[in-house]
Amino acid sequence: MDPIRIAVVGLGKIARDQHLPAIAGNAAFSLAATVSPHDPGREGVAHFASLGDLLYGGPAIDAVALCTPPQVRYDLAALALKRGVHVFLEKPPGATLSEVVALRERADKVGVTLFAAWHSRFAAGVAPARAWLAERTIQKVSIVWREDVRVWHPGQAWIWEPGGLGVFDPGINALSILTHILPRPVFLEDAALSIPENRAAPIAAELRFRDTAGADIHMDLDWRQTGPQSWNITVETDAGTLKLSSGGAVLTLPGGTEHNEDLEYPGLYSRFANLIRGGRSDVDIDPLRLVADAFLRGRRESVEPFND
Amino acid sequence: MDPIRIAVVGLGKIARDQHLPAIAGNAAFSLAATVSPHDPGREGVAHFASLGDLLYGGPAIDAVALCTPPQVRYDLAALALKRGVHVFLEKPPGATLSEVVALRERADKVGVTLFAAWHSRFAAGVAPARAWLAERTIQKVSIVWREDVRVWHPGQAWIWEPGGLGVFDPGINALSILTHILPRPVFLEDAALSIPENRAAPIAAELRFRDTAGADIHMDLDWRQTGPQSWNITVETDAGTLKLSSGGAVLTLPGGTEHNEDLEYPGLYSRFANLIRGGRSDVDIDPLRLVADAFLRGRRESVEPFND
């Protein structure tokens, strides 16, 4: 089988740290081009300033990975789908729910693969956590997701702009795990968003969700955490407590702890290849819908200015 | 066929002005009870302080119409569905998207009718507008929805609370028409929300949407309009201009203007009866999703305080 010729669009931190190595490590793909108006590209790989230049004047490609900020992703995805090119959407899959729904309908109509990637779902502990919880009664869930934005998003102005999600940019990773491992649907009850005076997006948030059987779910998001970082989900059940830590990489069950190798992006690219070979799409908007609900329903409080 | 025994839950302005008259005027329904902790009820009709009191100690009912503020509607709807009672949800169908999706899944599972009502879709001009636009190329859309909140929502504090939508409470009526009459999906490009300093929800908003063929859609919402009120949608097409005015009641096409009787709530109850008799649900969340997108993506500006 010929490798899938893929182009990476947007060469920011996530593309350099994760996408390019994962593509290089997967024989199902060959890197055919890169696209960025800012970056000169990689030696030996065709490079274009825009996706239009690539699609209308570059080498033939089968797929694109869109690693740009979410605010500009719809037009890029729509253009790729129009040319029959499969699309991998970094998370969050768009700046709004409606644009992702529109893309999903479009992909179904033209028979092209659209993949809304949630990398945290591929963390090592997540699949076994889901399997273990499937048979349990969920009593209570606590999510603590506290990190230092200066370390993880240095100088990323777009993340503070409308559509950039603020602290929900990491928080949506926790929600992508939550909605994947819990056996019942979850909905928002209450949210308090802390917005720096000089920014449009929250730097911290406290949220309460419930599942449809009534289990309480508490979520604590904070981007002001210096020192040790926390990415933990604790689920109390009728059979004891499950804990996912290190963003889902480490799973602790009543019987002990499992440490496994981190293979999030390799997992995503294996999945993308399978979707393309199978002629299917995978576009789950549930995590983004919960974030939109927090913006819709949440109370806002103004907090001290944030400067990089 | 026996009439559907229905209870009206929440006896505020919309229940008194619209629901009770529409139920009285439709032979498919009989009003079996009312529920309100505040209102003494109606002479000759069983009355309860809570839905639980009715469902566990009152006369048998087949359906409920939930006319409470959206913030408390999920629990009421879940309780009714649990008892096998069909549910009519006033608009907006919930305070969050996720709770409505959870209710829809639940209703499908238990085989009970759930109806998310969008009354403006039953305005006289809307069905012919939809039919006329189905064959047209849409070039541009302009929505102007300007009304006086003091006239239409006197003293309704809940509407200004988180989850209460503010000016999107009427604005969602326009969106329910828009998403119904346009032949292609619509998504949000940009939004500016004007929030009074002393309130949580917007008093005005300016929005830009696009359809998937690229047509520009502009929306102007304002709750500070005294004097003449505006509820107009203008659609420019390759075959001339369509205009819906008076909230959808009046349709103007290139050939002339049609005035028809306002039958929004009678239309809703006919539809609800048909859904129940047919064993089906109708839960379209598109209008609420566009509002959530505006809260998610919109810029906010603080404007002068609003006092009733």
Side-chain angles (χ1 to χ4, degrees):
Chain A
M1 220 157 21
D2 287 337
I4 299 159
R5 296 164 298 183
I6 191 166
V8 173
V9 181
L11 291 173
K13 182 168 165 57
I14 195 71
R16 297 190 306 266
D17 291 355
Q18 299 289 351
H19 289 261
L20 293 174
I23 290 167
N26 187 329
F29 291 94
S30 69
L31 182 64
T34 55
V35 174
S36 167
H38 314 297
D39 189 289
R42 298 289 168 276
E43 200 177 322
V45 180
H47 183 76
F48 300 85
S50 77
L51 180 59
D53 289 351
L54 164 57
L55 290 175
Y56 291 92
I61 59 168
D62 307 302
V64 290
L66 300 184
C67 307
T68 65
Q71 292 96 327
V72 299
R73 220 173 279 154
Y74 174 85
D75 283 332
L76 297 172
L79 184 62
L81 293 177
K82 192 175 173 186
R83 300 285 290 177
V85 169
H86 309 295
V87 175
F88 178 124
L89 295 170
E90 220 343 317
K91 53 78 32 175
T96 65
L97 293 165
S98 300
E99 70 191 53
V100 181
V101 171
L103 288 175
R104 182 169 64 188
E105 287 177 16
R106 185 76 203 148
D108 287 349
K109 193 169 288 178
V110 296
V112 166
T113 293
L114 180 67
F115 179 34
W118 299 108
H119 63 80
S120 293
R121 288 184 176 171
F122 289 80
V126 172
R130 176 184 162 103
W132 192 82
L133 290 173
E135 307 297 318
R136 303 296 186 272
T137 299
I138 312 301
Q139 293 164 342
K140 201 171 165 187
V141 181
S142 168
I143 302 170
V144 178
W145 224 253
R146 291 175 155 261
E147 62 176 49
D148 186 344
V149 63
R150 289 187 174 87
V151 172
W152 301 100
H153 297 278
Q156 291 182 5
W158 63 267
I159 217 162
W160 296 102
E161 295 294 318
L165 299 190
V167 75
F168 286 96
D169 186 84
I172 205 169
N173 295 337
L175 292 174
S176 75
I177 295 175
L178 183 79
T179 50
H180 192 63
I181 64 176
L182 290 195
R184 292 173 189 271
V186 164
F187 59 94
L188 182 83
E189 287 251 293
D190 196 30
L193 312 183
S194 300
I195 324 256
E197 275 172 30
N198 61 337
R199 302 284 183 169
I203 195 165
E206 191 173 346
L207 304 104
R208 268 194 326 114
F209 301 91
R210 245 197 297 161
D211 79 2
T212 54
D216 265 325
I217 300 162
H218 182 266
M219 184 173 192
D220 168 8
L221 297 180
D222 206 317
W223 244 353
R224 299 166 299 194
Q225 176 83 9
T226 54
Q229 310 279 290
S230 299
W231 298 284
N232 301 326
I233 300 177
T234 308
V235 185
E236 295 174 27
T237 79
D238 58 335
T241 297
L242 172 150
K243 184 168 182 183
L244 277 168
S245 46
S246 299
V250 179
L251 173 63
T252 304
L253 292 172
T257 295
E258 292 176 29
H259 291 267
N260 288 295
E261 200 185 349
D262 174 24
L263 293 171
E264 293 187 15
Y265 279 79
L268 285 178
Y269 276 92
S270 294
R271 171 92 178 132
F272 189 39
N274 283 337
L275 289 170
I276 292 171
R277 303 292 190 209
R280 288 172 298 124
S281 285
D282 177 357
V283 185
D284 178 9
I285 64 166
D286 287 5
L288 187 58
R289 194 172 59 218
L290 291 172
V291 174
D293 281 342
F295 279 75
L296 179 68
R297 166 122 211 203
R299 295 184 311 281
R300 283 151 189 273
E301 55 169 13
S302 192
V303 298
E304 62 182 28
F306 173 82
N307 294 297
D308 266 317
Chain B
M1 219 154 24
D2 287 337
I4 299 159
R5 295 164 298 181
I6 191 166
V8 172
V9 181
L11 291 173
K13 183 169 165 55
I14 195 72
R16 297 192 306 268
D17 291 355
Q18 300 290 350
H19 288 261
L20 293 174
I23 290 166
N26 187 329
F29 291 95
S30 69
L31 181 66
T34 56
V35 174
S36 168
H38 314 298
D39 188 291
R42 297 291 168 274
E43 201 179 320
V45 180
H47 183 77
F48 300 85
S50 77
L51 180 60
D53 290 349
L54 164 57
L55 290 174
Y56 291 93
I61 59 168
D62 307 303
V64 290
L66 301 183
C67 307
T68 65
Q71 292 96 327
V72 299
R73 220 173 279 155
Y74 174 85
D75 283 331
L76 298 171
L79 185 61
L81 293 177
K82 193 175 172 185
R83 300 286 289 178
V85 168
H86 308 295
V87 175
F88 177 124
L89 296 169
E90 220 342 318
K91 52 81 28 178
T96 64
L97 293 165
S98 300
E99 69 190 54
V100 181
V101 171
L103 289 175
R104 182 169 64 187
E105 287 177 16
R106 185 76 202 147
D108 287 349
K109 193 169 287 178
V110 296
V112 166
T113 293
L114 180 67
F115 179 34
W118 300 107
H119 63 80
S120 293
R121 288 184 176 172
F122 288 80
V126 171
R130 176 183 161 103
W132 192 82
L133 290 173
E135 306 297 317
R136 303 296 185 273
T137 299
I138 311 299
Q139 292 165 342
K140 201 172 165 185
V141 181
S142 168
I143 302 170
V144 179
W145 223 253
R146 291 175 156 260
E147 62 176 48
D148 186 344
V149 63
R150 291 188 173 85
V151 171
W152 300 101
H153 297 280
Q156 291 181 7
W158 62 267
I159 217 161
W160 295 102
E161 295 294 319
L165 300 191
V167 74
F168 286 96
D169 186 84
I172 205 170
N173 296 336
L175 292 173
S176 75
I177 295 175
L178 183 78
T179 50
H180 193 63
I181 64 175
L182 290 194
R184 293 175 189 271
V186 164
F187 59 94
L188 183 83
E189 287 252 295
D190 196 30
L193 311 183
S194 300
I195 323 256
E197 275 172 31
N198 61 336
R199 303 283 183 170
I203 197 165
E206 190 172 347
L207 304 104
R208 267 194 327 114
F209 301 91
R210 244 197 299 161
D211 78 2
T212 55
D216 265 325
I217 300 162
H218 183 267
M219 184 173 193
D220 168 7
L221 296 180
D222 207 316
W223 244 352
R224 298 166 298 195
Q225 176 83 8
T226 54
Q229 309 279 290
S230 299
W231 298 285
N232 301 326
I233 300 177
T234 308
V235 186
E236 296 173 28
T237 79
D238 57 336
T241 298
L242 173 150
K243 184 168 182 181
L244 277 167
S245 46
S246 299
V250 178
L251 173 62
T252 303
L253 292 172
T257 296
E258 291 176 29
H259 291 267
N260 288 294
E261 200 184 348
D262 174 23
L263 292 171
E264 292 187 16
Y265 279 79
L268 286 178
Y269 275 93
S270 295
R271 172 92 178 133
F272 189 38
N274 283 338
L275 290 170
I276 292 172
R277 304 291 190 208
R280 287 172 298 125
S281 286
D282 177 358
V283 185
D284 178 10
I285 64 167
D286 286 4
L288 186 58
R289 194 172 60 218
L290 290 172
V291 174
D293 281 341
F295 278 75
L296 179 68
R297 165 122 211 202
R299 295 185 311 281
R300 286 154 186 271
E301 55 170 13
S302 191
V303 298
E304 62 182 28
F306 174 82
N307 293 298
D308 265 320

